[in-house]
Amino acid sequence: MASNPFEDDGADYLVLVNDENQHALWPAGLDIPSGWTVAQEASSRADSLAYVEEHWTDMRPAGLISGS
C-alpha cells in the first residue's frame, strides 16, 4: 500500500504560495503546479508547517483582505 506523499512526516516539503497569498505544503520532488511559486525551499514537514504558521496569518484570499 502506497503512503500519501502529502502526509509523510519523514519527507521533505516545499512551501508554495499563490497570487492570493494562500500557502500549501508540497512534496519536494513533485512538479510545482501552475500558479504557485516556492516560498520556502525543501525542508522537514515540521519546519514547513512552522513557516506556514508564521507567514500565513490571515487565511482569507488576498483579494478579500485588500477589499475589506
Side-chain angles (χ1 to χ4, degrees):
M1 178 157 109
S3 66
N4 183 341
F6 291 89
E7 297 179 357
D8 183 352
D9 287 335
D12 284 341
Y13 291 85
L14 304 171
V15 175
L16 304 183
V17 65
N18 66 16
D19 290 342
E20 289 291 332
N21 199 40
Q22 296 168 314
H23 289 58
L25 264 61
W26 195 256
L30 293 184
D31 291 340
I32 297 169
S34 177
W36 293 83
T37 58
V38 176
Q40 177 179 281
E41 293 297 330
S43 62
S44 71
R45 182 174 171 80
D47 287 347
S48 297
L49 287 169
Y51 179 94
V52 169
E53 188 171 318
E54 180 181 342
H55 291 91
W56 192 23
T57 57
D58 191 332
M59 301 300 248
R60 295 176 295 169
L64 291 179
I65 296 169
S66 60
S68 1

